[in-house]
Coordinates of all heavy atoms in Angstrom, one line a residue:
M559 N 83.2 121.8 -6.0 CA 81.9 121.5 -5.6 C 81.0 122.7 -5.9 O 81.3 123.8 -5.5 CB 81.8 121.1 -4.1 CG 80.4 121.0 -3.6 SD 80.3 120.8 -1.8 CE 81.2 119.3 -1.5
L560 N 79.9 122.5 -6.5 CA 78.9 123.5 -6.7 C 78.0 123.6 -5.5 O 77.4 122.6 -5.0 CB 78.1 123.2 -7.9 CG 76.9 124.1 -8.2 CD1 77.4 125.5 -8.5 CD2 76.1 123.6 -9.4
V561 N 77.8 124.8 -4.9 CA 76.9 125.0 -3.8 C 75.8 125.9 -4.2 O 76.0 127.0 -4.7 CB 77.7 125.6 -2.6 CG1 76.8 125.8 -1.4 CG2 78.9 124.7 -2.2
L562 N 74.5 125.4 -4.0 CA 73.4 126.1 -4.4 C 72.5 126.3 -3.2 O 72.4 125.4 -2.3 CB 72.6 125.4 -5.5 CG 73.4 125.2 -6.8 CD1 72.6 124.3 -7.7 CD2 73.7 126.5 -7.5
S563 N 71.8 127.4 -3.1 CA 70.8 127.6 -2.0 C 69.4 127.4 -2.6 O 69.1 127.9 -3.7 CB 70.9 129.0 -1.4 OG 72.1 129.2 -0.8
R564 N 68.5 126.6 -1.9 CA 67.2 126.4 -2.4 C 66.3 126.5 -1.1 O 66.6 126.2 0.0 CB 67.0 125.0 -3.0 CG 67.9 124.7 -4.2 CD 67.3 125.3 -5.5 NE 67.5 126.7 -5.6 CZ 66.8 127.5 -6.4 NH1 65.9 127.0 -7.2 NH2 67.0 128.8 -6.4
K565 N 65.1 127.0 -1.4 CA 64.0 127.0 -0.3 C 63.1 125.9 -0.5 O 63.1 125.2 -1.6 CB 63.3 128.4 -0.4 CG 64.2 129.5 -0.1 CD 63.4 130.8 -0.2 CE 64.3 132.0 0.0 NZ 63.7 133.3 -0.2
K566 N 62.2 125.7 0.5 CA 61.2 124.6 0.4 C 60.4 124.7 -1.0 O 60.1 125.8 -1.4 CB 60.2 124.7 1.5 CG 59.2 123.7 1.6 CD 58.3 123.8 2.8 CE 57.2 122.8 2.8 NZ 56.3 122.9 3.9
N567 N 60.2 123.6 -1.6 CA 59.5 123.4 -2.9 C 60.3 123.9 -4.1 O 59.8 123.9 -5.2 CB 58.1 124.1 -2.8 CG 57.2 123.4 -1.9 OD1 57.2 122.1 -1.8 ND2 56.5 124.1 -1.1
E568 N 61.6 124.3 -3.9 CA 62.4 124.7 -5.0 C 63.2 123.5 -5.4 O 63.5 122.6 -4.6 CB 63.3 125.9 -4.7 CG 62.6 127.2 -4.5 CD 63.4 128.3 -4.2 OE1 64.6 128.1 -3.7 OE2 63.0 129.5 -4.5
S569 N 63.7 123.5 -6.7 CA 64.4 122.3 -7.2 C 65.7 122.6 -7.8 O 66.0 123.8 -8.1 CB 63.5 121.6 -8.3 OG 62.3 121.2 -7.8
I570 N 66.5 121.6 -8.1 CA 67.7 121.6 -8.8 C 67.6 120.6 -9.9 O 67.2 119.4 -9.6 CB 68.9 121.4 -7.9 CG1 69.0 122.5 -6.8 CG2 70.2 121.3 -8.7 CD1 70.0 122.1 -5.7
M571 N 68.0 120.9 -11.1 CA 68.0 119.9 -12.2 C 69.4 119.4 -12.5 O 70.3 120.2 -12.5 CB 67.4 120.5 -13.5 CG 65.9 120.8 -13.4 SD 64.8 119.4 -13.1 CE 65.2 118.4 -14.5
I572 N 69.5 118.1 -12.6 CA 70.8 117.5 -13.1 C 70.6 116.9 -14.4 O 69.8 116.0 -14.6 CB 71.3 116.5 -12.1 CG1 71.5 117.1 -10.7 CG2 72.6 115.8 -12.6 CD1 71.9 116.1 -9.6
G573 N 71.1 117.5 -15.4 CA 70.8 117.1 -16.8 C 69.4 117.4 -17.1 O 68.7 118.3 -16.5
D574 N 68.8 116.6 -18.0 CA 67.4 116.8 -18.4 C 66.5 115.8 -17.6 O 65.3 116.0 -17.7 CB 67.3 116.5 -19.9 CG 68.0 117.5 -20.7 OD1 68.1 118.6 -20.3 OD2 68.4 117.1 -21.8
T575 N 67.0 114.9 -16.8 CA 66.1 113.8 -16.3 C 66.1 113.7 -14.8 O 65.4 112.9 -14.3 CB 66.5 112.5 -16.9 OG1 67.9 112.2 -16.6 CG2 66.3 112.5 -18.4
I576 N 67.0 114.4 -14.1 CA 67.1 114.2 -12.6 C 66.7 115.5 -12.0 O 67.4 116.6 -12.2 CB 68.5 113.7 -12.2 CG1 68.8 112.4 -12.8 CG2 68.6 113.6 -10.7 CD1 70.2 111.9 -12.6
E577 N 65.7 115.5 -11.1 CA 65.3 116.7 -10.3 C 65.4 116.4 -8.9 O 65.0 115.4 -8.4 CB 63.8 117.0 -10.7 CG 63.3 118.2 -9.9 CD 61.9 118.6 -10.2 OE1 61.2 117.8 -10.9 OE2 61.4 119.6 -9.7
I578 N 66.1 117.3 -8.2 CA 66.2 117.2 -6.7 C 65.4 118.4 -6.1 O 65.7 119.5 -6.4 CB 67.7 117.3 -6.3 CG1 68.4 116.1 -6.9 CG2 67.8 117.3 -4.8 CD1 69.9 116.1 -6.7
K579 N 64.4 118.0 -5.3 CA 63.5 119.0 -4.8 C 63.6 119.1 -3.2 O 63.6 118.0 -2.6 CB 62.1 118.7 -5.2 CG 61.1 119.8 -4.8 CD 59.7 119.5 -5.4 CE 58.7 120.6 -5.1 NZ 57.5 120.3 -5.8
V580 N 63.6 120.3 -2.7 CA 63.6 120.4 -1.2 C 62.2 120.3 -0.8 O 61.3 121.0 -1.2 CB 64.1 121.8 -0.8 CG1 64.0 122.0 0.7 CG2 65.6 122.0 -1.3
I581 N 61.9 119.2 0.0 CA 60.5 118.9 0.5 C 60.2 119.7 1.8 O 59.1 120.2 1.9 CB 60.4 117.4 0.7 CG1 60.7 116.7 -0.6 CG2 59.0 117.1 1.2 CD1 59.8 117.0 -1.8
A582 N 61.2 119.6 2.7 CA 60.9 120.3 4.0 C 62.3 120.6 4.7 O 63.3 119.9 4.4 CB 60.1 119.3 4.9
V583 N 62.3 121.6 5.5 CA 63.4 121.9 6.3 C 62.9 122.0 7.8 O 62.0 122.7 8.1 CB 64.0 123.3 5.9 CG1 65.2 123.6 6.8 CG2 64.4 123.3 4.5
E584 N 63.5 121.0 8.6 CA 63.0 120.9 10.0 C 64.3 121.0 10.9 O 65.0 120.0 11.0 CB 62.2 119.7 10.2 CG 61.0 119.6 9.3 CD 60.4 118.2 9.2 OE1 61.0 117.2 9.8 OE2 59.4 118.0 8.6
G585 N 64.6 122.1 11.5 CA 65.8 122.2 12.3 C 67.0 122.0 11.4 O 67.1 122.7 10.4
D586 N 67.9 121.1 11.8 CA 69.1 120.9 11.0 C 68.9 119.7 10.0 O 69.9 119.2 9.4 CB 70.3 120.6 11.9 CG 70.1 119.4 12.7 OD1 69.1 118.8 12.8 OD2 71.1 119.0 13.4
T587 N 67.6 119.3 9.7 CA 67.4 118.2 8.8 C 66.6 118.8 7.6 O 65.7 119.5 7.7 CB 66.5 117.1 9.5 OG1 67.1 116.6 10.6 CG2 66.2 116.0 8.5
V588 N 67.1 118.4 6.4 CA 66.5 118.8 5.2 C 66.0 117.5 4.5 O 66.7 116.5 4.3 CB 67.5 119.5 4.2 CG1 66.9 119.8 2.9 CG2 68.1 120.7 4.9
R589 N 64.7 117.5 4.1 CA 64.1 116.4 3.4 C 64.1 116.7 1.9 O 63.7 117.8 1.6 CB 62.7 116.1 3.9 CG 62.7 115.6 5.3 CD 61.3 115.3 5.8 NE 60.5 114.6 4.9 CZ 60.2 113.3 5.1 NH1 60.6 112.6 6.1 NH2 59.5 112.6 4.2
I590 N 64.7 115.8 1.1 CA 64.7 116.1 -0.3 C 64.0 115.0 -1.0 O 63.9 113.8 -0.6 CB 66.2 116.2 -0.8 CG1 67.0 114.9 -0.6 CG2 66.8 117.4 -0.2 CD1 68.3 114.9 -1.2
G591 N 63.5 115.3 -2.2 CA 62.9 114.3 -3.1 C 63.7 114.2 -4.3 O 64.2 115.3 -4.8
I592 N 63.9 113.0 -4.9 CA 64.7 112.9 -6.1 C 63.9 112.2 -7.1 O 63.3 111.1 -6.9 CB 66.0 112.0 -5.8 CG1 66.8 112.7 -4.7 CG2 66.8 111.8 -7.1 CD1 67.9 111.9 -4.1
E593 N 63.7 112.8 -8.3 CA 63.0 112.2 -9.4 C 64.1 111.9 -10.4 O 64.8 112.8 -10.9 CB 62.0 113.1 -10.0 CG 60.7 113.2 -9.1 CD 59.6 114.0 -9.8 OE1 59.5 113.8 -11.1 OE2 58.9 114.6 -9.2
A594 N 64.2 110.6 -10.8 CA 65.3 110.1 -11.7 C 64.7 109.0 -12.5 O 63.8 108.3 -12.0 CB 66.5 109.8 -11.0
P595 N 65.2 108.7 -13.7 CA 64.8 107.5 -14.4 C 65.1 106.3 -13.6 O 66.0 106.2 -12.8 CB 65.7 107.6 -15.7 CG 66.2 109.0 -15.8 CD 66.2 109.5 -14.4
R596 N 64.3 105.2 -13.9 CA 64.5 104.0 -13.1 C 65.9 103.3 -13.3 O 66.3 102.6 -12.4 CB 63.4 103.0 -13.5 CG 62.0 103.4 -13.0 CD 61.1 102.2 -13.2 NE 59.7 102.6 -12.9 CZ 59.2 102.5 -11.6 NH1 60.0 102.1 -10.7 NH2 58.0 102.8 -11.4
N597 N 66.5 103.6 -14.4 CA 67.8 103.0 -14.6 C 69.0 103.7 -13.9 O 70.1 103.3 -13.9 CB 68.1 102.9 -16.1 CG 68.3 104.3 -16.7 OD1 67.6 105.2 -16.3 ND2 69.2 104.4 -17.7
V598 N 68.6 104.8 -13.2 CA 69.6 105.6 -12.4 C 69.5 105.1 -10.9 O 68.5 105.2 -10.3 CB 69.4 107.1 -12.5 CG1 70.4 107.9 -11.6 CG2 69.5 107.6 -13.9
E599 N 70.6 104.6 -10.4 CA 70.7 104.1 -9.0 C 70.9 105.3 -8.1 O 71.8 106.1 -8.4 CB 71.8 103.1 -8.8 CG 71.5 101.8 -9.7 CD 72.6 100.8 -9.6 OE1 73.8 101.2 -9.2 OE2 72.4 99.7 -9.9
V600 N 70.1 105.4 -7.1 CA 70.2 106.5 -6.1 C 70.3 105.9 -4.7 O 69.4 105.1 -4.3 CB 68.9 107.4 -6.2 CG1 69.0 108.6 -5.1 CG2 68.7 108.0 -7.6
Y601 N 71.4 106.2 -4.0 CA 71.7 105.6 -2.7 C 72.1 106.8 -1.8 O 72.7 107.7 -2.2 CB 72.8 104.6 -2.7 CG 72.6 103.5 -3.6 CD1 73.3 103.4 -4.8 CD2 71.8 102.4 -3.2 CE1 73.1 102.2 -5.7 CE2 71.6 101.3 -4.1 CZ 72.3 101.2 -5.3 OH 72.1 100.1 -6.0
R602 N 71.8 106.5 -0.5 CA 72.4 107.4 0.5 C 73.9 107.0 0.5 O 74.3 105.9 0.2 CB 71.9 107.1 1.9 CG 70.4 107.4 2.1 CD 69.9 107.3 3.5 NE 70.6 106.3 4.3 CZ 70.1 105.1 4.7 NH1 68.8 104.8 4.4 NH2 70.8 104.3 5.5
K603 N 74.8 108.0 0.8 CA 76.2 107.8 0.6 C 76.7 106.6 1.5 O 77.5 105.8 1.0 CB 77.0 109.1 1.0 CG 78.5 108.9 0.7 CD 79.2 110.2 0.8 CE 80.7 110.0 0.5 NZ 81.5 111.2 0.6
E604 N 76.2 106.5 2.7 CA 76.7 105.4 3.5 C 76.4 104.0 3.0 O 77.1 103.1 3.1 CB 76.3 105.5 5.0 CG 74.8 105.5 5.2 CD 74.1 106.9 5.1 OE1 74.7 107.8 4.5 OE2 72.9 106.9 5.6
I605 N 75.2 103.9 2.3 CA 74.8 102.7 1.7 C 75.7 102.4 0.5 O 76.2 101.3 0.2 CB 73.3 102.7 1.3 CG1 72.4 102.9 2.6 CG2 72.9 101.5 0.5 CD1 72.6 101.8 3.6
Y606 N 75.9 103.5 -0.3 CA 76.7 103.4 -1.5 C 78.1 102.9 -1.1 O 78.7 102.0 -1.8 CB 76.8 104.7 -2.2 CG 77.8 104.7 -3.4 CD1 77.4 104.2 -4.6 CD2 79.1 105.2 -3.3 CE1 78.3 104.2 -5.7 CE2 79.9 105.2 -4.3 CZ 79.5 104.7 -5.5 OH 80.4 104.7 -6.6
E607 N 78.7 103.5 -0.1 CA 80.1 103.1 0.4 C 80.1 101.6 0.9 O 81.0 100.9 0.6 CB 80.6 104.0 1.4 CG 80.9 105.4 0.9 CD 81.2 106.4 1.9 OE1 80.9 106.2 3.1 OE2 81.8 107.5 1.6
A608 N 79.0 101.2 1.5 CA 79.0 99.8 2.0 C 78.9 98.8 0.8 O 79.5 97.8 0.8 CB 77.7 99.6 2.9
I609 N 78.1 99.2 -0.2 CA 78.1 98.4 -1.4 C 79.4 98.3 -2.1 O 79.9 97.2 -2.5 CB 77.0 98.9 -2.4 CG1 75.6 98.7 -1.8 CG2 77.1 98.2 -3.8 CD1 74.5 99.5 -2.5
Q610 N 80.1 99.4 -2.2 CA 81.4 99.4 -2.8 C 82.4 98.5 -2.1 O 83.2 97.8 -2.6 CB 82.0 100.9 -2.9 CG 81.2 101.8 -3.8 CD 81.1 101.2 -5.2 OE1 82.2 100.9 -5.8 NE2 79.9 101.1 -5.8
E611 N 82.3 98.6 -0.7 CA 83.2 97.8 0.1 C 82.9 96.3 -0.1 O 83.8 95.5 -0.2 CB 83.1 98.2 1.6 CG 84.0 97.4 2.5 CD 85.5 97.5 2.3 OE1 85.9 98.4 1.6 OE2 86.2 96.7 2.9
E612 N 81.6 95.9 -0.1 CA 81.3 94.5 -0.3 C 81.7 94.0 -1.7 O 82.2 92.9 -1.8 CB 79.7 94.4 -0.2 CG 79.2 94.4 1.2 CD 79.7 93.3 2.1 OE1 79.8 92.1 1.6 OE2 80.0 93.5 3.2
N613 N 81.6 94.9 -2.7 CA 82.1 94.5 -4.0 C 83.6 94.3 -4.0 O 84.1 93.4 -4.7 CB 81.7 95.6 -5.1 CG 80.2 95.5 -5.4 OD1 79.5 94.6 -5.1 ND2 79.7 96.6 -5.9
R614 N 84.3 95.2 -3.3 CA 85.8 95.1 -3.3 C 86.2 93.8 -2.6 O 87.1 93.1 -3.1 CB 86.4 96.3 -2.5 CG 87.9 96.3 -2.5 CD 88.4 97.4 -1.6 NE 88.1 97.2 -0.2 CZ 88.8 96.3 0.6 NH1 89.8 95.6 0.1 NH2 88.5 96.1 1.8
L615 N 85.5 93.5 -1.5 CA 85.8 92.2 -0.8 C 85.5 91.0 -1.6 O 86.2 90.0 -1.6 CB 85.1 92.2 0.6 CG 85.5 93.2 1.6 CD1 84.6 93.2 2.8 CD2 86.9 92.9 2.0
A616 N 84.4 91.0 -2.3 CA 84.0 89.9 -3.2 C 85.0 89.6 -4.3 O 85.3 88.5 -4.6 CB 82.6 90.2 -3.8
T617 N 85.7 90.7 -4.8 CA 86.6 90.4 -5.9 C 87.9 89.9 -5.3 O 88.7 89.3 -6.1 CB 86.9 91.7 -6.6 OG1 87.5 92.7 -5.8 CG2 85.7 92.3 -7.3
Q618 N 88.2 90.0 -4.0 CA 89.4 89.5 -3.4 C 89.3 88.0 -3.2 O 90.3 87.3 -3.0 CB 89.7 90.2 -2.1 CG 90.2 91.6 -2.3 CD 90.4 92.3 -1.0 OE1 90.1 91.8 0.1 NE2 91.0 93.5 -1.0
H619 N 88.1 87.5 -3.1 CA 87.9 86.1 -2.7 C 87.4 85.3 -3.9 O 86.4 84.5 -3.8 CB 87.0 86.0 -1.5 CG 87.5 86.7 -0.3 ND1 88.6 86.3 0.3 CD2 87.0 87.7 0.3 CE1 88.8 87.1 1.3 NE2 87.8 88.0 1.4
Q620 N 88.0 85.4 -5.1 CA 87.5 84.7 -6.2 C 87.9 83.2 -6.1 O 89.0 82.9 -5.6 CB 88.1 85.3 -7.5 CG 87.5 86.7 -7.8 CD 88.0 87.2 -9.1 OE1 88.8 86.5 -9.8 NE2 87.6 88.4 -9.4
T621 N 87.1 82.4 -6.5 CA 87.3 80.9 -6.4 C 88.2 80.5 -7.6 O 88.0 80.9 -8.7 CB 86.0 80.2 -6.5 OG1 85.1 80.6 -5.5 CG2 86.1 78.7 -6.4
D622 N 89.1 79.6 -7.3 CA 90.0 79.0 -8.3 C 89.2 77.8 -8.8 O 89.3 76.7 -8.2 CB 91.3 78.6 -7.7 CG 92.3 78.0 -8.7 OD1 91.8 77.6 -9.8 OD2 93.5 77.9 -8.4
W623 N 88.5 78.0 -9.9 CA 87.6 76.9 -10.4 C 88.3 75.7 -10.9 O 87.9 74.6 -10.7 CB 86.7 77.5 -11.5 CG 85.7 78.5 -10.9 CD1 85.7 79.8 -11.1 CD2 84.6 78.2 -10.0 NE1 84.7 80.4 -10.3 CE2 84.0 79.4 -9.7 CE3 84.1 77.0 -9.4 CZ2 82.9 79.5 -8.8 CZ3 83.0 77.1 -8.6 CH2 82.4 78.3 -8.3
A624 N 89.5 75.9 -11.4 CA 90.3 74.7 -11.9 C 90.7 73.9 -10.7 O 90.6 72.6 -10.8 CB 91.5 75.2 -12.7
K625 N 91.1 74.5 -9.6 CA 91.5 73.7 -8.4 C 90.2 73.0 -7.8 O 90.3 71.9 -7.4 CB 92.1 74.7 -7.4 CG 92.7 74.0 -6.2 CD 93.4 74.9 -5.3 CE 94.0 74.2 -4.1 NZ 94.8 75.2 -3.3
M626 N 89.1 73.7 -7.8 CA 87.9 73.2 -7.3 C 87.5 71.9 -8.1 O 87.0 70.9 -7.6 CB 86.8 74.2 -7.3 CG 85.4 73.7 -6.7 SD 85.5 73.3 -5.0 CE 85.4 75.0 -4.3
K627 N 87.6 72.0 -9.4 CA 87.2 70.9 -10.3 C 88.1 69.7 -10.0 O 87.6 68.6 -10.0 CB 87.3 71.4 -11.8 CG 86.9 70.4 -12.8 CD 87.0 70.9 -14.2 CE 86.6 69.9 -15.2 NZ 86.7 70.4 -16.6
E628 N 89.4 69.9 -9.8 CA 90.3 68.9 -9.5 C 90.0 68.2 -8.2 O 90.0 67.0 -8.1 CB 91.7 69.4 -9.5 CG 92.8 68.3 -9.3 CD 92.9 67.3 -10.4 OE1 92.4 67.6 -11.5 OE2 93.4 66.2 -10.1
V629 N 89.6 69.0 -7.2 CA 89.3 68.4 -5.9 C 88.0 67.6 -6.0 O 87.9 66.5 -5.5 CB 89.1 69.5 -4.8 CG1 88.4 69.0 -3.6 CG2 90.4 70.2 -4.5
L630 N 87.0 68.1 -6.7 CA 85.8 67.3 -6.9 C 86.0 66.1 -7.7 O 85.4 65.0 -7.4 CB 84.7 68.2 -7.6 CG 84.2 69.4 -6.7 CD1 83.3 70.3 -7.5 CD2 83.5 68.9 -5.5
R631 N 86.8 66.1 -8.7 CA 87.1 64.9 -9.5 C 87.7 63.8 -8.6 O 87.3 62.7 -8.7 CB 88.0 65.3 -10.7 CG 88.2 64.1 -11.6 CD 89.3 64.4 -12.7 NE 90.6 64.6 -12.1 CZ 91.4 63.5 -11.6 NH1 90.9 62.3 -11.6 NH2 92.6 63.8 -11.1
K632 N 88.6 64.2 -7.7 CA 89.3 63.2 -6.9 C 88.3 62.6 -5.8 O 88.6 61.6 -5.3 CB 90.4 63.9 -6.2 CG 91.6 64.2 -7.1 CD 92.8 64.8 -6.3 CE 93.9 65.1 -7.3 NZ 95.0 65.7 -6.5
T633 N 87.2 63.3 -5.5 CA 86.3 62.8 -4.5 C 85.1 62.1 -5.0 O 84.2 61.8 -4.3 CB 85.9 64.0 -3.6 OG1 85.2 65.0 -4.4 CG2 87.0 64.6 -2.9
Q634 N 85.1 61.8 -6.3 CA 84.0 61.2 -7.0 C 83.9 59.7 -6.4 O 84.9 59.1 -6.2 CB 84.1 61.1 -8.5 CG 84.0 62.5 -9.1 CD 82.6 63.1 -9.0 OE1 81.6 62.4 -9.1 NE2 82.5 64.4 -8.7
P635 N 82.7 59.2 -6.2 CA 82.5 57.8 -5.8 C 83.2 56.9 -6.8 O 83.1 57.1 -8.0 CB 81.0 57.6 -5.7 CG 80.4 59.0 -5.6 CD 81.4 59.9 -6.3
G636 N 83.8 55.8 -6.3 CA 84.5 54.9 -7.2 C 85.9 55.2 -7.4 O 86.7 54.5 -8.0
D637 N 86.4 56.4 -6.9 CA 87.8 56.8 -7.1 C 88.6 55.8 -6.1 O 88.2 55.5 -5.1 CB 88.1 58.2 -6.7 CG 88.1 59.1 -7.9 OD1 88.1 58.6 -9.0 OD2 88.1 60.4 -7.6
D638 N 89.8 55.5 -6.5 CA 90.6 54.6 -5.7 C 91.5 55.4 -4.8 O 92.5 54.9 -4.4 CB 91.5 53.7 -6.6 CG 90.6 52.7 -7.4 OD1 89.5 52.4 -7.0 OD2 91.1 52.3 -8.5
Q639 N 91.2 56.6 -4.5 CA 92.0 57.4 -3.7 C 91.5 57.6 -2.3 O 90.4 57.5 -1.9 CB 92.2 58.8 -4.3 CG 92.6 58.7 -5.7 CD 93.7 59.7 -6.1 OE1 94.1 60.5 -5.2 NE2 94.0 59.7 -7.3

């Protein structure tokens, strides 16, 4: 992990397109601003982790479309079943 010290209004560049700027320091809270291209997703870590968990859960509950099609076919009006 790279650890850098910055003061209010100082920045850190990530590559050529992402700038992280210290906006304010109030007690133990640091406010930062992030300038990044629109195609770069920026999330708070707890939100990012929640999204990852939701994606993981979604992949575990994939629908068996062949089975669903068979069930629907059997329940069509006019079926003798």
Side-chain angles (χ1 to χ4, degrees):
M559 173 188 298
L560 174 64
V561 178
L562 300 171
S563 297
R564 300 280 72 200
K565 295 179 182 175
K566 183 178 175 182
N567 295 320
E568 292 183 335
S569 297
I570 296 168
M571 293 298 299
I572 299 176
D574 294 330
T575 59
I576 300 172
E577 180 179 7
I578 300 176
K579 186 173 185 176
V580 177
I581 304 299
V583 180
E584 301 164 357
D586 62 351
T587 301
V588 177
R589 293 178 50 101
I590 60 172
I592 301 169
E593 287 190 32
R596 290 191 183 274
N597 66 326
V598 175
E599 297 175 341
V600 178
Y601 299 106
R602 295 188 330 251
K603 186 173 181 180
E604 61 274 16
I605 299 299
Y606 175 80
E607 289 172 345
I609 291 168
Q610 295 300 309
E611 179 65 11
E612 286 295 322
N613 289 343
R614 187 186 66 76
L615 291 172
T617 61
Q618 290 180 349
H619 301 298
Q620 292 185 1
T621 303
D622 183 345
W623 291 110
K625 187 174 182 179
M626 181 67 76
K627 185 176 177 182
E628 182 65 21
V629 168
L630 291 173
R631 187 187 63 75
K632 289 181 179 180
T633 60
Q634 292 294 319
D637 264 351
D638 293 336
Q639 306 220 9

